[in-house]
Amino acid sequence: YGWQLVNHALTFTLIGEDSCADRAAALAGKFLSSTPGEQVAQWADVQVTRAGQTQNVIMNYLLYLPKDYNTSPDQRWPFVLFLHGYGERGSDLNILKVHGIPRLVAQGQDFPFIAVSPQLPMTLETWTGQVDALAALIKNLQASYRIDDKRIYVTGISLGGNGTWHF
């Protein structure tokens, strides 16, 4: 695999599914760019407060921007958070492409909304304890992309369906 990710003026060429460059960009608090009409691997460092203590949580996810995202700079887009099932946990974002929105995008389908598909680490058994991190991720994305605050949706399958109820 190879991606060319642009982070403002800094350009990386990434080889492989997991590299130090994308993790370093995430740790620096920067979002990696996405090309409209494509699904791109991203990392975000989000802050959550649990039991009175603030901690950073690194979240990896797939980001999809609609093909026409750049044609109307004033348009706000619906946002869909897709939570995967138990079998897609881990650190390989390509696994997310076996079901749901990530699969349809990988097959070439275009959608009129921004889609984010985070991946639950293998060390976690459920989305329940990640609701605060997911909410922080959405807030970070709202600051970076033109998301319509009145059209934010959460959906999922199996374990991810359970996560939507807890959200």
Side-chain angles (χ1 to χ4, degrees):
Y1 299 94
W3 300 289
Q4 182 176 10
L5 302 173
V6 178
N7 187 358
H8 301 287
L10 185 60
T11 302
F12 301 103
T13 300
L14 305 176
I15 304 301
E17 295 176 5
D18 189 19
S19 77
C20 293
D22 55 357
R23 285 187 182 261
L27 292 172
K30 307 256 192 270
F31 283 93
L32 304 173
S33 72
S34 183
T35 303
E38 294 180 14
Q39 190 166 230
V40 179
Q42 302 270 321
W43 294 83
D45 182 8
V46 299
Q47 288 190 342
V48 297
T49 302
R50 295 177 177 156
Q53 294 185 345
T54 301
Q55 57 187 187
N56 287 16
V57 176
I58 301 294
M59 298 194 74
N60 58 338
Y61 60 94
L62 293 174
L63 171 69
Y64 169 78
L65 297 178
K67 189 170 44 176
D68 297 331
Y69 183 82
N70 288 334
T71 61
S72 303
D74 295 328
Q75 181 175 351
R76 312 284 294 166
W77 293 86
F79 176 87
V80 176
L81 182 72
F82 174 78
L83 303 180
H84 63 75
Y86 190 83
E88 291 77 49
R89 296 172 308 128
S91 60
D92 180 1
L93 288 169
N94 288 314
I95 294 172
L96 298 181
K97 297 176 185 177
V98 299
H99 298 296
I101 294 170
R103 178 182 179 164
L104 296 172
V105 171
Q107 292 174 344
Q109 187 158 350
D110 185 41
F111 291 104
F113 53 80
I114 297 170
V116 168
S117 304
Q119 188 173 40
L120 195 63
M122 189 62 76
T123 56
L124 298 177
E125 296 285 321
T126 179
W127 286 105
T128 306
Q130 293 298 100
V131 171
D132 51 355
L134 293 170
L137 176 62
I138 292 171
K139 285 185 189 238
N140 285 358
L141 292 166
Q142 286 175 299
S144 299
Y145 298 97
R146 297 187 319 272
I147 294 172
D148 184 340
D149 296 340
K150 293 181 169 90
R151 295 189 291 170
I152 296 177
Y153 308 95
V154 181
T155 189
I157 58 168
S158 190
L159 180 71
N162 186 348
T164 64
W165 286 106
H166 291 281
F167 200 90

